[in-house]
Amino acid sequence: MSKLIHIEIDDAGLPTPTPEIEQERKVAIFDLLEDNSFAIPRDGVPEGPYRLGLAIRERRLVFDVQTEAEDPAAEFHLSLGPFRQVVKDYFQICESYFDAVKTLPPSQIEAIDMGRRGIHNEGARILQERLEGKAEVDIDTARRLFTLICVLHFGG
């Protein structure tokens, strides 16, 4: 059972997210729990399913992985540096998208959404690279986790 069954975002001390950011967070968590692939390729680490805690501590992204019984399974810290530009680009295009859906015709909204998906895919690819040797995730899981990283970046 190489999957996540619970996700918790540690947003203590972060600013309150906008309604759009909160909605993105809820959708990403719901989608992740519906369908994901998450395995830890290390000897001695208990098999899943896993509970995942995500946080930003000391300017690092922290993955706190526990077993279903809430026993520690693994913890790893990733530098936020490789994510900074793609997160910035993602927020800019999301802002354009949220504005566009209010006033622009569907053809223009679709073009912005295609750009948004492209940036989202880039963030997912970076996440998969950063997790190499620590956790194995498929592209859909990486995309949804990237959304949650953006939510944390918004507050951090």
Side-chain angles (χ1 to χ4, degrees):
M1 297 265 304
S2 298
K3 68 180 215 163
L4 299 170
I5 57 164
H6 179 81
I7 299 165
E8 190 158 325
I9 308 293
D10 180 359
D11 56 4
L14 298 178
T16 303
T18 65
E20 293 89 357
I21 297 294
E22 185 60 29
Q23 180 63 23
E24 291 277 320
R25 171 184 172 159
K26 287 178 182 176
V27 169
I29 289 173
F30 177 85
D31 288 347
L32 262 169
L33 295 177
E34 285 292 306
D35 183 35
N36 70 77
S37 174
F38 188 94
I40 300 177
R42 295 189 210 162
D43 291 337
V45 174
E47 290 187 19
Y50 298 109
R51 301 170 65 83
L52 176 63
L54 285 176
I56 293 181
R57 287 192 219 120
E58 297 175 11
R59 299 173 59 161
R60 298 184 68 77
L61 178 64
V62 178
F63 282 71
D64 180 11
V65 185
Q66 298 177 346
T67 65
E68 188 172 18
E70 300 185 33
D71 295 323
E75 181 173 294
F76 33 93
H77 300 231
L78 304 179
S79 170
L80 290 170
F83 296 103
R84 280 201 178 89
Q85 187 61 51
V86 73
V87 168
K88 180 180 175 185
D89 293 346
Y90 185 68
F91 275 122
Q92 287 177 335
I93 202 159
C94 281
E95 188 173 315
S96 296
Y97 176 79
F98 294 140
D99 289 342
V101 296
K102 297 173 189 170
T103 59
L104 296 180
S107 61
Q108 288 178 302
I109 294 169
E110 188 175 313
I112 293 170
D113 193 45
M114 285 177 58
R116 183 172 82 141
R117 283 194 303 263
I119 293 169
H120 205 186
N121 287 339
E122 176 65 10
R125 184 192 63 73
I126 291 169
L127 179 59
Q128 283 181 308
E129 286 177 4
R130 303 294 298 145
L131 288 174
E132 193 169 320
K134 297 171 182 70
E136 295 171 353
V137 297
D138 64 11
I139 189 65
D140 289 333
T141 301
R143 284 175 53 84
R144 292 168 186 139
L145 287 171
F146 175 72
T147 299
L148 296 178
I149 291 168
C150 288
V151 169
L152 282 168
H153 254 281
F154 172 81

